[in-house]
Amino acid sequence: MTEQVYQVDLHPEGPASVEEVPPKAPEAPQEQRASRRKKAVQEEPAKRQLLIAPGLAVLGLITVVVVIMTLMSYAQLVMVNDEVFDARSELRSLQTEESKLMAQYELAYDLQEIENQMLSSGQMVKIQSWQTYTLELAEPDSVEYYQSNKLSEKIKALASGLMDSLREYF
Protein backbone atom coordinates (compact mmCIF):
# COMPACT_ATOMS: atom_id res chain seq x y z
CA MET A 1 0.00 0.00 0.00
CA THR A 2 1.36 3.38 -0.92
CA GLU A 3 0.77 6.60 0.77
CA GLN A 4 0.00 9.68 -1.10
CA VAL A 5 0.27 13.08 0.56
CA TYR A 6 -1.41 16.16 -0.81
CA GLN A 7 -0.88 19.77 0.14
CA VAL A 8 -3.92 21.93 -0.29
CA ASP A 9 -3.61 25.72 -0.40
CA LEU A 10 -6.80 27.70 -0.06
CA HIS A 11 -6.69 31.24 -1.25
CA PRO A 12 -9.54 33.56 -0.30
CA GLU A 13 -9.24 35.61 -3.49
CA GLY A 14 -8.51 32.93 -6.01
CA PRO A 15 -8.88 29.23 -6.83
CA ALA A 16 -7.56 26.56 -4.53
CA SER A 17 -4.51 24.59 -5.59
CA VAL A 18 -3.65 21.02 -4.79
CA GLU A 19 -0.12 19.68 -5.04
CA GLU A 20 1.09 16.18 -4.57
CA VAL A 21 3.91 15.90 -2.06
CA PRO A 22 6.19 12.89 -2.51
CA PRO A 23 6.07 10.56 0.49
CA LYS A 24 8.98 10.49 2.86
CA ALA A 25 10.97 7.39 3.10
CA PRO A 26 10.41 5.61 6.38
CA GLU A 27 13.31 5.96 8.78
CA ALA A 28 14.89 3.13 10.59
CA PRO A 29 13.98 2.83 14.29
CA GLN A 30 17.49 3.77 15.38
CA GLU A 31 17.43 6.86 13.21
CA GLN A 32 14.02 7.82 14.61
CA ARG A 33 15.35 7.56 18.18
CA ALA A 34 18.42 9.61 17.32
CA SER A 35 16.32 12.31 15.69
CA ARG A 36 14.00 12.40 18.70
CA ARG A 37 17.00 12.80 21.04
CA LYS A 38 18.35 15.64 18.94
CA LYS A 39 14.98 17.38 19.02
CA ALA A 40 14.71 16.87 22.79
CA VAL A 41 18.23 18.20 23.33
CA GLN A 42 17.47 21.20 21.12
CA GLU A 43 14.16 21.90 22.90
CA GLU A 44 15.57 21.45 26.44
CA PRO A 45 17.82 24.56 26.48
CA ALA A 46 14.94 26.61 25.16
CA LYS A 47 12.77 25.39 28.04
CA ARG A 48 15.58 26.09 30.53
CA GLN A 49 16.03 29.52 29.07
CA LEU A 50 12.36 30.24 29.51
CA LEU A 51 12.48 29.01 33.11
CA ILE A 52 15.62 30.96 33.95
CA ALA A 53 14.48 34.23 32.39
CA PRO A 54 11.64 34.92 34.89
CA GLY A 55 13.97 34.01 37.77
CA LEU A 56 16.58 36.45 36.49
CA ALA A 57 13.96 39.12 36.07
CA VAL A 58 12.76 38.68 39.65
CA LEU A 59 16.35 38.65 40.92
CA GLY A 60 17.11 41.83 38.99
CA LEU A 61 13.99 43.48 40.33
CA ILE A 62 14.88 42.54 43.91
CA THR A 63 18.40 43.89 43.39
CA VAL A 64 17.06 47.19 42.08
CA VAL A 65 14.66 47.49 45.03
CA VAL A 66 17.45 46.78 47.55
CA VAL A 67 19.74 49.35 45.92
CA ILE A 68 17.00 51.98 45.94
CA MET A 69 16.15 51.29 49.58
CA THR A 70 19.86 51.47 50.51
CA LEU A 71 20.22 54.83 48.77
CA MET A 72 17.08 56.16 50.46
CA SER A 73 18.27 55.05 53.90
CA TYR A 74 21.68 56.59 53.24
CA ALA A 75 20.01 59.88 52.30
CA GLN A 76 17.98 59.77 55.53
CA LEU A 77 21.15 59.05 57.51
CA VAL A 78 22.87 62.05 55.96
CA MET A 79 19.89 64.28 56.82
CA VAL A 80 19.81 63.05 60.43
CA ASN A 81 23.57 63.52 60.71
CA ASP A 82 23.20 67.13 59.52
CA GLU A 83 20.46 67.75 62.08
CA VAL A 84 22.62 66.29 64.87
CA PHE A 85 25.53 68.50 63.82
CA ASP A 86 23.26 71.58 63.83
CA ALA A 87 21.87 70.65 67.26
CA ARG A 88 25.37 70.18 68.70
CA SER A 89 26.54 73.53 67.37
CA GLU A 90 23.41 75.19 68.78
CA LEU A 91 24.05 73.48 72.13
CA ARG A 92 27.62 74.82 72.21
CA SER A 93 26.41 78.35 71.46
CA LEU A 94 23.72 78.08 74.16
CA GLN A 95 26.30 76.85 76.70
CA THR A 96 28.57 79.82 76.01
CA GLU A 97 25.58 82.15 76.26
CA GLU A 98 24.62 80.52 79.57
CA SER A 99 28.08 81.11 81.02
CA LYS A 100 27.97 84.77 79.93
CA LEU A 101 24.50 85.24 81.44
CA MET A 102 25.55 83.55 84.71
CA ALA A 103 28.52 85.92 84.98
CA GLN A 104 26.22 88.90 84.35
CA TYR A 105 23.76 87.61 86.95
CA GLU A 106 26.46 87.21 89.57
CA LEU A 107 27.67 90.75 88.86
CA ALA A 108 24.14 92.16 88.99
CA TYR A 109 23.45 90.86 92.50
CA ASP A 110 26.14 91.32 95.11
CA LEU A 111 25.13 88.96 97.92
CA GLN A 112 27.39 90.66 100.45
CA GLU A 113 25.69 94.00 99.80
CA ILE A 114 22.22 92.45 100.10
CA GLU A 115 23.18 90.81 103.40
CA ASN A 116 24.53 94.08 104.83
CA GLN A 117 21.39 95.94 103.75
CA MET A 118 19.07 93.35 105.29
CA LEU A 119 21.07 93.29 108.55
CA SER A 120 21.05 97.07 108.83
CA SER A 121 17.27 97.28 108.25
CA GLY A 122 16.57 94.61 110.87
CA GLN A 123 14.76 92.27 108.48
CA MET A 124 17.48 89.68 108.88
CA VAL A 125 19.38 88.68 112.01
CA LYS A 126 22.66 86.80 112.15
CA ILE A 127 22.47 83.44 113.88
CA GLN A 128 24.37 83.15 117.10
CA SER A 129 26.41 80.07 117.90
CA TRP A 130 23.93 78.91 120.56
CA GLN A 131 20.92 79.04 118.21
CA THR A 132 20.79 75.54 116.81
CA TYR A 133 17.99 73.43 115.47
CA THR A 134 18.24 69.70 116.06
CA LEU A 135 16.38 67.10 114.08
CA GLU A 136 16.39 63.67 115.67
CA LEU A 137 16.50 61.22 112.80
CA ALA A 138 16.59 58.08 114.97
CA GLU A 139 12.88 58.44 115.68
CA PRO A 140 10.93 58.63 112.45
CA ASP A 141 7.90 60.75 113.46
CA SER A 142 9.24 63.16 116.05
CA VAL A 143 11.16 66.38 115.81
CA GLU A 144 12.36 68.35 118.82
CA TYR A 145 12.82 72.04 118.51
CA TYR A 146 15.11 73.77 121.03
CA GLN A 147 15.20 77.52 121.24
CA SER A 148 15.62 79.49 124.37
CA ASN A 149 17.29 82.61 125.62
CA LYS A 150 17.82 81.52 129.26
CA LEU A 151 21.05 79.81 130.20
CA SER A 152 19.39 77.37 132.64
CA GLU A 153 17.01 76.07 129.95
CA LYS A 154 19.93 75.64 127.56
CA ILE A 155 21.83 73.57 130.13
CA LYS A 156 18.74 71.40 130.83
CA ALA A 157 18.23 70.79 127.09
CA LEU A 158 21.91 69.90 126.67
CA ALA A 159 21.82 67.46 129.61
CA SER A 160 18.61 65.77 128.43
CA GLY A 161 20.05 65.45 124.92
CA LEU A 162 23.23 63.93 126.36
CA MET A 163 21.22 61.46 128.48
CA ASP A 164 19.10 60.47 125.45
CA SER A 165 22.24 59.87 123.41
CA LEU A 166 23.73 57.68 126.15
CA ARG A 167 20.51 55.60 126.41
CA GLU A 168 20.45 55.07 122.64
CA TYR A 169 24.08 54.09 122.61
CA PHE A 170 23.81 51.50 125.43
Side-chain angles (χ1 to χ4, degrees), residues 14-163:
S17 63
V18 178
E19 294 179 11
E20 186 177 339
V21 177
K24 292 183 181 178
E27 296 181 358
Q30 290 177 347
E31 290 176 7
Q32 287 177 353
R33 282 187 227 135
S35 66
R36 284 186 207 151
R37 284 185 199 143
K38 285 180 185 177
K39 287 181 185 177
V41 169
Q42 289 172 355
E43 291 175 6
E44 193 171 309
K47 287 181 182 178
R48 283 186 188 166
Q49 226 173 12
L50 290 177
L51 295 176
I52 292 174
L56 286 177
V58 169
L59 183 63
L61 182 65
I62 289 172
T63 305
V64 168
V65 168
V66 168
V67 167
I68 289 173
M69 289 177 62
T70 303
L71 290 175
M72 287 175 53
S73 64
Y74 182 72
Q76 289 176 348
L77 178 66
V78 168
M79 290 175 17
V80 168
N81 192 19
D82 288 343
E83 290 175 8
V84 167
F85 180 76
D86 293 342
R88 283 184 181 166
S89 63
E90 186 177 349
L91 177 66
R92 282 188 208 109
S93 66
L94 288 175
Q95 285 174 340
T96 56
E97 186 178 346
E98 177 200 16
S99 63
K100 289 177 186 177
L101 289 174
M102 289 298 288
Q104 287 178 359
Y105 178 76
E106 289 175 0
L107 291 175
Y109 296 104
D110 185 16
L111 296 179
Q112 238 0 21
E113 184 182 322
I114 292 171
E115 182 181 353
N116 290 337
Q117 184 182 6
M118 296 302 279
L119 286 173
S120 65
S121 69
Q123 293 177 344
M124 187 169 86
V125 180
K126 276 197 169 195
I127 292 181
Q128 303 298 321
S129 61
W130 54 269
Q131 294 174 323
T132 59
Y133 298 98
T134 306
L135 296 175
E136 184 64 41
L137 298 177
E139 298 175 15
D141 293 331
S142 67
V143 175
E144 294 182 26
Y145 176 71
Y146 300 105
Q147 183 178 11
S148 174
N149 292 335
K150 295 183 183 178
L151 184 60
S152 62
E153 290 178 9
K154 291 179 192 175
I155 294 173
K156 283 181 185 177
L158 182 63
S160 68
L162 185 62
M163 292 301 285

